[in-house]
Amino acid sequence: MPTAYTEKINRTIADADLQLAVYTATGRLQQNRRNVVAPDVLPEYQDLRTQANALKKHTIENLDYYLERVEAAVAHNGGKTVFCRDGDEVADFILNLAKERGAHLIVKSKSMTTEEVHLNDRLEQHHLEAVETDLGEYIIQLAHERPYHIVAPALHMTRYQVADLFEKKLGVGHEVVVEKQTMIARATLREKFLAAGIGITGANFVVAESGAVVVVENEGNARLSSSAPKIHIAIAGIEKLIPRAQDLAVFLKLLGRSATGQPMTVYTSFLSGPRREGEIDGPEEFYLILLDNGRTKLLADRDKRESLYCIRCGACLNTCPVYRKIGGHNYPWVYSGPIGAIITPQFVGVQQDPWLPFTSSLCGACAEVCPVKIDIPRILLELRSEAVEMKTREGSNKWEKLAFRLWSWVMKRPRLYEAASLFASGVAPAVEAGKWVRSLPGFMNVGPVKAWTSVRDLPPQPEQSFRALWRARQGGSR
Amino acid sequence: MPRDQMLHKVQTALGRSAGQPPASAPPVWLRIPEIPVERRIATFREKLEALAAKTAHVRTPREAANYVESVIAGRDAVASNAPYLAECGVTALAGVRTGFTESSALRAACSTTAVGVTSADYALSETGTLVMIASPSEARLISLLPPVHIAVVPLERLLTGLDELFTRVPDPAAITSSMVMITGPSRTADIEQILVRGVHGPGELHVVLVGEG
Ligand code: SF4
């Protein structure tokens, strides 16, 4: 791990306010989720997960078919599908369109996909104003930061920081009451909505047969972005496809519950093209941008393809002891937490940040809460072994030691023992034993024991714990 | 062309050939529970009130109009073109403008008015959700721009939940460019997880169910 990262992580760990903010927020989100997926509240929860996993698997395995299908359906609705390889192509398309239509102001609703390609910076370079309209996103845009959490982008900021920011950037008084801060943002952004020529939204789902995007939110900013301006552009990764509108009955029951503990978010918009004959309002033009940006590379890897099932609910972040400790800004890319640790190396290459797959205690909690049943720990192990192979070729072990220091930091927390007991009792996700075994030798070769003992305050006999854990894992579950 | 390249890349990655039909999709998974209307009403109201929305259940369209009048309380309102609102007499109430068929006039009215009145196409009991389908009868902005939203919903439209909705409307794209499900007033918890209502959409939501339960 590069020193800059270790220093940043140390700073995060030393920041008591930040630690408390992240711990409290993720703890609350976890609890909210638990309350609404409990067997007495949602008896079909496990069936829904199984069904969601099967639907995602099917769509991903037949993705070329569904891509053509959605393209035809969007055209049928009077819209246009734009396939983009990377952020440059996305920006080029939007810039051209804005120029042709004479649009100077763009309103945006929360989209991790646009964060991925730094769309705002690209548009700004060409003197297009792109305003984030989700309150949290708006705040971090003003602060020039990136989202701290997939679902709660400004989770790390206090009302006092927001007051300073609004005072400096919006020229308003120092307002520390959250309700009033929200109303300041509402008034400022309302003007933008009504003046914007283009609205950009993300998409939680893209419905192939309908040529529709589905956007879930609580504030109403995605509704405004997609209804008020003359042009609506929806941007989605190609993995967001689902076959049919009826499949939403499965996915919508899982997404809000897993993300924030809401059985339904306040607004769920099913948007299929521009305003139709007779309809009173809505955009005149609709574009669906389908982005690759590394996804096809990932698709080729049969063993890790399931990383593309992710519906970005953030549940794995909230439950992850590492995320909860190091927070969202110590991951190298826009996606943080367990899902970030598995997709970042696959999108940008393992060599970029070889320590990343090690930022996990492998406690299995992420897989347990994942609504689409992605086997995150297994994929982490595979990535570790890839990173180790690569490292062996390079003959460098600096990052490895530092990664393990981080890992051991987490491992020595009481949570470890909680995690270990989860593992042993077989609550951890079912994994084909063969795959684990295949990955393990490479992983053990790293010399974790060596790395561990280089850290002074280790818990007693961590190596033993790991072995015990491993034995239990092999013998104790299927 | 990026399109063809991308499709080709996807096909190569998956080991599929161009034009190859897909494997059969997992069957649709919809389960509609049998729930008597009284229970549906009670659950719907309970769920919505838990989200700080106001609800009422009245027996006649006339009573519905009275309720709407009391919420409007002398302020300006814009009502949708839903025939049911006219039937109830809501559109004839003092201060209520309706009959907008043109986008810019509607937008201008909605950006200044205090109250938007609609008649949802469906309501979902399980979650306290309103289903708004854009059409000549229902515009998108009436339930969005004004700070207060009132929905008047006849009981026949109260369904159990998502599964029943997607059974009745298997593909919304076949009938509309926009179907929005609304579950409670607009809200955010983006600053210190403190709940604030009415961030961009209406902060106040009233739902009147109409009919003999
Ligand atoms: S990996 Fe699973 S739990 Fe994590 S964000 Fe994606 S869908 Fe949610």
Side-chain angles (χ1 to χ4, degrees):
Chain A
M1 194 188 283
T3 330
Y5 273 114
T6 345
E7 279 167 11
K8 252 183 93 189
I9 290 173
N10 284 337
R11 273 202 302 278
T12 307
I13 292 174
D15 185 335
D17 287 344
L18 184 58
Q19 287 288 306
L20 184 68
V22 177
Y23 194 78
T24 315
T26 50
R28 195 176 300 166
L29 288 166
Q30 261 191 60
Q31 188 57 48
N32 291 348
R33 174 194 160 277
R34 236 178 271 131
N35 292 344
V36 293
V37 301
D40 53 326
V41 184
L42 189 68
E44 68 270 37
Y45 174 57
Q46 295 302 342
D47 290 341
L48 287 167
R49 288 179 80 209
T50 305
Q51 185 68 11
N53 176 277
L55 284 164
K56 275 288 178 185
K57 181 172 167 52
H58 167 79
T59 320
I60 293 293
E61 298 290 334
N62 298 276
L63 191 58
D64 55 321
Y65 169 80
Y66 285 109
L67 287 169
E68 290 195 89
R69 183 87 208 258
V70 79
E71 184 189 28
V74 167
H76 177 83
N77 295 336
K80 190 175 182 305
T81 306
V82 184
F83 293 89
C84 292
R85 258 174 308 206
D86 53 26
D88 286 340
E89 290 188 356
V90 174
D92 285 350
F93 172 77
I94 296 171
L95 288 166
N96 274 331
L97 188 71
K99 207 163 146 197
E100 275 172 34
R101 303 291 189 272
H104 302 285
L105 175 62
I106 296 178
V107 281
K108 274 190 70 217
S109 75
K110 193 171 161 334
S111 152
M112 287 305 292
T113 312
T114 63
E115 293 285 344
E116 199 181 293
V117 297
H118 307 293
L119 184 62
N120 294 350
D121 293 347
R122 289 176 199 259
L123 298 177
E124 243 167 61
Q125 278 160 18
H126 292 85
H127 312 291
L128 262 182
E129 190 186 353
V131 187
E132 292 293 345
T133 58
D134 169 85
L135 180 60
E137 288 278 344
Y138 182 58
I139 292 169
I140 61 161
Q141 185 183 34
L142 291 178
H144 295 289
E145 290 186 12
R146 61 181 165 100
Y148 207 81
H149 186 285
I150 300 178
V151 172
L155 175 145
H156 59 303
M157 289 182 77
T158 65
R159 72 189 86 175
Y160 305 102
Q161 289 168 312
V162 173
D164 291 346
L165 194 64
F166 279 10
E167 187 175 13
K168 199 164 122 217
K169 297 290 170 108
L170 304 178
V172 295
H174 193 84
E175 181 53 71
V176 295
V177 177
V178 175
E179 284 78 5
K180 291 190 179 150
Q181 292 175 335
T182 306
M183 290 310 131
I184 292 170
R186 176 185 163 109
T188 314
L189 292 170
R190 181 55 72 92
E191 278 172 31
K192 305 278 185 195
F193 282 123
L194 296 175
I198 297 177
I200 297 179
T201 68
N204 296 89
F205 304 100
V206 177
V207 185
E209 70 162 9
S210 315
V213 294
V214 177
V215 186
V216 307
E217 51 147 353
N218 284 318
E219 298 183 1
N221 62 307
R223 282 186 75 193
L224 278 163
S225 303
S226 60
S227 304
K230 282 207 162 76
I231 301 171
H232 173 205
I233 303 174
I235 304 184
I238 52 172
E239 82 283 14
K240 287 289 161 71
L241 268 66
I242 59 170
R244 304 155 295 215
Q246 291 185 317
D247 300 324
L248 289 167
V250 171
F251 287 108
L252 291 177
K253 282 183 205 138
L254 291 168
L255 179 55
R257 284 184 170 91
S258 305
T260 52
Q262 289 171 281
M264 282 285 276
T265 52
V266 177
Y267 302 115
T268 303
S269 298
F270 180 103
L271 304 166
S272 42
R275 175 207 312 182
R276 297 189 186 175
E277 181 84 37
E279 288 178 4
I280 304 154
D281 53 6
E284 290 164 13
E285 296 177 53
F286 172 82
Y287 300 90
L288 170 62
I289 296 181
L290 291 173
L291 178 68
D292 180 342
N293 207 35
R295 289 164 171 82
T296 49
K297 203 170 60 194
L298 206 166
L299 198 61
D301 188 334
R302 194 184 291 273
D303 288 335
K304 298 199 273 314
R305 200 176 273 169
E306 67 179 283
S307 316
L308 292 172
Y309 300 175
C310 174
I311 58 173
R312 308 275 187 267
C313 72
C316 57
L317 278 63
N318 303 332
T319 197
C320 176
V322 177
Y323 177 90
R324 298 186 76 192
K325 197 69 214 167
I326 71 172
H329 282 171
N330 289 316
Y331 292 82
W333 205 33
V334 287
Y335 299 109
S336 51
I339 183 62
I342 65 169
I343 61 177
T344 305
Q346 300 188 78
F347 276 41
V348 303
V350 182
Q351 69 286 352
Q352 198 73 28
D353 296 289
W355 52 273
L356 191 57
F358 294 85
T359 54
S360 159
S361 61
L362 291 180
C363 68
C366 48
E368 200 194 325
V369 298
C370 179
V372 289
K373 289 190 171 179
I374 299 173
D375 194 346
I376 300 170
R378 177 183 63 77
I379 295 170
L380 279 171
L381 279 178
E382 299 221 358
L383 287 165
R384 283 181 185 189
S385 98
E386 278 172 32
V388 167
E389 266 167 42
M390 187 202 71
K391 188 230 69 175
T392 313
R393 283 198 302 273
E394 285 174 358
S396 144
N397 72 346
K398 259 206 309 222
W399 58 265
E400 157 211 324
K401 277 192 186 159
L402 289 160
F404 272 104
R405 190 181 297 175
L406 168 65
W407 187 28
S408 64
W409 200 100
V410 175
M411 292 293 269
K412 78 189 173 193
R413 313 314 294 175
R415 198 160 285 276
L416 161 71
Y417 303 103
E418 205 182 296
S421 63
L422 267 178
F423 240 91
S425 65
V427 178
V431 179
E432 288 165 61
K435 289 194 176 155
W436 284 69
V437 173
R438 202 183 59 215
S439 309
L440 187 71
F443 162 64
M444 290 301 280
N445 283 343
V446 191
V449 184
K450 203 171 59 193
W452 280 9
T453 46
S454 74
V455 182
R456 266 166 285 124
D457 47 353
L458 274 176
Q461 298 178 307
E463 183 206 357
Q464 283 280 319
S465 320
F466 182 79
R467 282 191 175 163
L469 197 107
W470 182 248
R471 265 199 307 275
R473 171 72 216 151
Q474 287 196 305
S477 64
R478 40 184 155 155
Chain B
M1 213 181 135
R3 173 199 183 272
D4 297 338
Q5 280 178 11
M6 199 195 289
L7 284 173
H8 182 75
K9 261 181 156 173
V10 172
Q11 277 152 1
T12 314
L14 295 170
R16 286 172 46 86
S17 49
Q20 188 180 333
S24 59
V28 166
W29 208 78
L30 298 171
R31 309 268 184 280
I32 306 175
E34 290 270 343
I35 298 171
V37 68
E38 302 76 39
R39 275 271 312 286
R40 265 182 282 147
I41 297 169
T43 310
F44 180 77
R45 297 187 63 184
E46 185 189 303
K47 297 285 172 185
L48 262 179
E49 309 228 329
L51 297 168
K54 304 257 167 29
T55 69
H57 174 209
V58 299
R59 292 160 61 145
T60 67
R62 184 64 245 169
E63 288 173 80
N66 292 342
Y67 180 87
V68 173
E69 189 173 28
S70 71
V71 176
I72 294 177
R75 294 175 290 182
D76 274 348
V78 170
S80 75
N81 303 337
Y84 189 70
L85 291 182
E87 223 174 277
C88 292
V90 166
T91 48
L93 294 172
V96 175
R97 283 179 295 164
T98 186
F100 292 95
T101 54
E102 203 268 316
S103 170
S104 55
L106 176 90
R107 178 203 284 237
C110 288
S111 6
T112 50
T113 199
V115 184
V117 191
T118 67
S119 177
D121 295 274
Y122 297 102
L124 311 180
S125 147
E126 224 165 66
T127 46
T129 301
L130 298 168
V131 182
M132 312 288 308
I133 296 176
S135 72
S137 301
E138 290 291 351
R140 304 184 190 204
L141 295 180
I142 301 178
S143 61
L144 185 56
L145 288 179
V148 180
H149 174 207
I150 312 174
V152 185
V153 191
L155 269 187
E156 314 80 88
R157 300 186 197 164
L158 180 59
L159 313 180
T160 46
L162 282 172
D163 295 47
E164 193 171 0
L165 174 68
F166 282 107
T167 304
R168 298 253 189 136
V169 188
D171 181 8
I175 54 168
T176 183
S177 74
S178 161
M179 180 176 90
V180 177
M181 297 180 240
I182 302 176
T183 310
S186 156
R187 63 187 233 178
T188 186
D190 277 354
I191 305 173
E192 293 188 13
Q193 294 206 311
I194 293 165
L195 184 67
V196 182
R197 295 196 180 83
V199 52
H200 291 300
E204 206 181 307
L205 173 66
H206 300 257
V207 183
V208 197
L209 294 172
V210 193
E212 303 282 347

